[in-house]
Amino acid sequence: MGGNDKITDTESPSNTKEEISVPSPPLSKDLGEEGVKQEVSDSTSDTPEEISVPAPPLLNVSNETDSSEKGFETGGNDKKTESESPSKTKEEIPVSSPPLSKDLGEEGVKQEVSDSTSNTPEEISVPAPPLSNVSNETDSGNKGFETQGNGGVSDSGSPSKTEEEIPISSPPVSKESSKTTSGDCDLFHGNWFYDSEGPLYTNNSCPVITQMQNCQGNGRPDKEYESWRWKPSQCDLPRFDAKKFLELMRGKTLAFIGDSVARNQMESMLCLLWQVEAPKNRGNKHMQRWYFRSTSVMIVRIWSSWLVRRSAEPVDVAPATVVKLHLDSPDEDFFRYLPSFDVVVLSSGHWFAKQSVYMLNNEVVGGQLWWPDKSRPMKVNNIEAFGISTETILTAMSTYPNYTGLTIVRAFSPDHYEGGAWNTGGSCTGKVKPATELVENGFTNIMHEKQVTGFKRAVEKSKNGSKLRLMDITEAFGYRHDGHPGPYRSPDPNKKTKRGPNGEPPPQDCLHWCMPGPVDTWNEIVLEIIRREYEDT
């Protein structure tokens, strides 16, 4: 899809009442002239076998080379770093992200947003999300969290008893809940509270933040969004402990697989770990790889926008110009590496609003922003396609004989375009605190529902000993409308940061997350899930 694609909501199919479509943004243009880092598809860019990335001050960086590998291909003579421009054929800009073009923000009026950071803790309560079966392992004795070691999580991060809190009742816990929602703690039901200790890193202490997520570097005037932390109702979620993570993952590989939101989370993980050890870049043309020599831990990222197999050749009435998604086949580009991974975090969903053709058993069954025969309804729309793809990839992973790792499915990440979509006046400008009331988003809700259904069906089919866990962050993060870059997605000093004379918002990114920011909480949860799997083994 080119940079000038014009897609409107009216082009999306509307054959079923469940079908809620989101317009697809055009792919970004090359912004490399001013040193602006782009979202890069690793499947099309080659990174050197081993390149040292500058460490932040006071870090103990090892210059030794460790030869241990886990079956990954090396880059050979590939000599391109992540900061270089990606191939024009695959750029990593997902669905709700606004277009990145050179001519944005020419009038540059600085947004006047007061820094409302205070030292007074606050709590914002979040209703519990729908419970779901998140494991094929049934705990017959406990209805909640299984505690390990000393029986729980430290209280050191809990807020003061005097903090303002809106009490809410917890729903009954499903008997089929897994270790991530077992015992007496549901990680995904709780409150956001302000933590005056602030984030564990800054935009200046981590060298791998994609420019679009470097909100402070791009001129965002407020900082309170960096310091809100998540507090489950019945336990504490500890601050991220990089040393503990590396020790728990000693000799193991964690892979983030998916779209640009997966990249966002992977970079957050690297930033958190970078504060105790600077890794070596061992990426190649197939994947990003960051190696922590002290514990032989590898952090990997593989680009896979839909997680299922793609093809380009014409099929039936579907031309070569539209990508074909085989909803019943996993993406072989990453599947071949699966046995090398110990933990996989999957991220997908937003690309299902992109133009594409849906296929089952090599037959065209539907499409998004494409359907040539208006006289008959499609069998599969974009929302159904997402649910089918979730079941396909998780079933394939959980039945693959050579993979017995831990799979963490990160639930659908909410965007916060208010008053329209990314290209129809949607905005998150001026949001400086978590919302106190959740504004329902029909597309987010139905995508989450289809994802959970696909997850449950895959759990029922699991047979290879691998573990499936649902990281159900959708509803809790629906409150974090303050955590997106908004207009602060570029360092351009002339960028627009204020509404125009007729109330039109400046160009916005209300899908990705600022760094540091709410996305770091995802990795606190990942660490907690890993701890419960590995701490006693």
Side-chain angles (χ1 to χ4, degrees):
M1 296 173 60
N4 295 319
D5 292 344
K6 301 294 184 183
I7 298 172
T8 65
D9 287 324
T10 59
E11 295 177 64
S12 58
S14 58
N15 296 300
T16 65
K17 61 183 178 182
E18 280 191 318
E19 182 171 345
I20 304 171
S21 297
V22 170
S24 167
L27 296 178
S28 67
K29 297 181 180 179
D30 186 349
L31 299 181
E33 296 176 359
E34 302 296 330
V36 180
K37 189 183 291 185
Q38 302 204 25
E39 296 185 68
V40 180
S41 169
D42 301 313
S43 60
T44 58
S45 65
D46 301 342
T47 52
E49 166 92 353
E50 193 166 314
I51 296 178
S52 296
V53 177
L58 302 180
L59 286 181
N60 185 10
V61 184
S62 171
N63 292 321
E64 299 180 40
T65 301
D66 191 301
S67 60
S68 62
E69 298 283 348
K70 299 192 70 178
F72 298 119
E73 293 184 22
T74 57
N77 294 323
D78 301 325
K79 299 293 182 182
K80 195 179 287 184
T81 64
E82 188 190 4
S83 60
E84 296 178 11
S85 299
S87 164
K88 298 298 181 184
T89 59
K90 285 185 181 180
E91 296 198 52
E92 185 181 333
I93 306 296
V95 164
S96 298
S97 175
L100 297 181
S101 57
K102 294 181 180 179
D103 58 355
L104 294 179
E106 294 178 351
E107 297 187 11
V109 180
K110 189 167 185 179
Q111 183 183 18
E112 297 178 2
V113 180
S114 62
D115 186 347
S116 55
T117 302
S118 68
N119 293 322
T120 305
E122 298 183 45
E123 278 197 11
I124 296 177
S125 298
V126 179
L131 293 176
S132 60
N133 178 9
V134 292
S135 176
N136 56 315
E137 301 172 6
T138 303
D139 185 347
S140 59
N142 295 323
K143 290 187 178 181
F145 254 162
E146 189 176 301
T147 57
Q148 300 184 16
N150 60 4
V153 183
S154 168
D155 285 333
S156 59
S158 60
S160 166
K161 299 296 182 182
T162 60
E163 293 171 358
E164 179 183 353
E165 183 172 350
I166 303 172
I168 52 177
S169 58
S170 298
V173 180
S174 167
K175 293 181 179 180
E176 297 182 345
S177 296
S178 78
K179 293 180 182 178
T180 58
T181 52
S182 58
D184 59 355
C185 180
D186 176 357
L187 286 178
F188 312 111
H189 177 209
N191 311 288
W192 290 102
F193 73 97
Y194 185 80
D195 184 355
S196 59
E197 290 186 37
L200 292 173
Y201 65 94
T202 70
N203 64 304
N204 293 320
S205 68
C206 181
V208 294
I209 301 176
T210 294
Q211 188 66 57
M212 283 177 60
Q213 275 68 76
N214 187 356
C215 299
Q216 289 298 303
N218 293 336
R220 181 167 172 170
D222 62 301
K223 294 189 68 174
E224 182 174 336
Y225 66 89
E226 296 183 339
S227 299
W228 288 86
R229 293 191 56 233
W230 180 247
K231 170 70 171 66
S233 296
Q234 299 167 329
C235 65
D236 290 314
L237 181 64
R239 289 171 69 88
F240 189 89
D241 186 333
K243 291 181 179 178
K244 184 166 188 174
F245 174 89
L246 291 173
E247 189 58 42
L248 285 171
M249 288 292 293
R250 178 177 290 274
K252 294 181 173 63
T253 296
L254 166 62
F256 293 92
I257 301 174
D259 53 20
S260 60
V261 183
R263 185 266 309 148
N264 203 168
Q265 186 177 358
M266 181 274 296
E267 289 180 356
S268 164
M269 177 65 78
L270 287 178
C271 288
L272 292 165
L273 297 175
W274 210 290
Q275 308 313 302
V276 299
E277 180 180 350
K280 288 184 178 295
N281 182 348
R282 291 189 172 177
N284 57 42
K285 65 181 180 179
H286 301 289
M287 68 182 78
Q288 286 181 288
R289 295 187 298 155
W290 297 87
Y291 181 71
F292 292 82
R293 184 186 177 278
S294 65
T295 51
S296 298
V297 170
M298 189 81 79
I299 304 297
V300 167
R301 174 178 165 256
I302 300 178
W303 168 254
S304 180
S305 48
W306 287 281
L307 299 180
V308 293
R309 182 165 72 88
R310 304 176 303 273
S311 63
E313 65 274 5
V315 178
D316 193 16
V317 294
T321 54
V322 184
V323 65
K324 322 301 181 303
L325 300 182
H326 298 260
L327 301 177
D328 48 4
S329 299
D331 183 355
E332 63 271 18
D333 288 346
F334 80 82
F335 212 74
R336 57 189 170 130
Y337 298 110
L338 199 58
S340 300
F341 302 148
D342 300 285
V343 181
V344 173
V345 179
L346 292 178
S347 171
S348 70
H350 291 283
W351 275 70
F352 280 87
K354 286 279 192 180
Q355 187 183 49
S356 51
V357 174
Y358 303 138
M359 302 187 66
L360 289 172
N361 297 317
N362 293 317
E363 175 189 352
V364 175
V365 294
Q368 167 65 359
L369 301 177
W370 175 90
W371 188 246
D373 189 354
K374 304 298 182 183
S375 65
R376 61 188 177 94
M378 295 185 296
K379 296 179 182 178
V380 176
N381 63 20
N382 62 330
I383 294 170
E384 293 292 340
F386 178 49
I388 295 170
S389 73
T390 300
E391 181 179 354
T392 292
I393 188 61
L394 293 180
T395 299
M397 293 176 69
S398 63
T399 58
Y400 192 61
N402 295 323
Y403 173 67
T404 57
L406 169 63
T407 302
I408 300 172
V409 183
R410 198 262 303 130
F412 192 80
S413 178
D415 66 57
H416 290 90
Y417 288 97
E418 296 182 3
W422 69 272
N423 60 347
T424 58
S427 172
C428 52
T429 297
K431 306 296 184 182
V432 297
K433 289 185 178 183
T436 56
E437 294 184 6
L438 184 64
V439 177
E440 292 294 325
N441 182 311
F443 182 73
T444 295
N445 291 346
I446 193 64
M447 290 293 275
H448 175 265
E449 177 187 331
K450 294 297 181 183
Q451 186 181 33
V452 170
T453 299
F455 178 89
K456 289 180 177 180
R457 289 174 176 169
V459 166
E460 294 171 357
K461 301 175 184 178
S462 179
K463 63 178 67 171
N464 67 348
S466 64
K467 307 171 186 67
L468 297 178
R469 303 288 182 261
L470 180 64
M471 196 171 91
D472 199 356
I473 55 84
T474 304
E475 186 164 350
F477 278 76
Y479 289 79
R480 293 310 309 271
H481 60 180
D482 58 321
H484 303 291
Y488 298 98
R489 57 193 182 88
S490 165
D492 179 5
N494 296 317
K495 63 180 175 291
K496 295 180 181 178
T497 60
K498 196 172 183 179
R499 289 186 179 272
N502 297 319
E504 64 274 14
Q508 305 272 302
D509 179 356
C510 304
L511 169 64
H512 298 96
W513 303 93
C514 292
M515 291 177 57
V519 68
D520 301 316
T521 301
W522 292 358
N523 289 318
E524 289 181 339
I525 296 172
V526 165
L527 172 54
E528 180 63 9
I529 294 173
I530 290 173
R531 182 190 71 79
R532 294 173 183 187
E533 296 297 332
Y534 293 139
E535 193 168 59
D536 292 339
T537 60

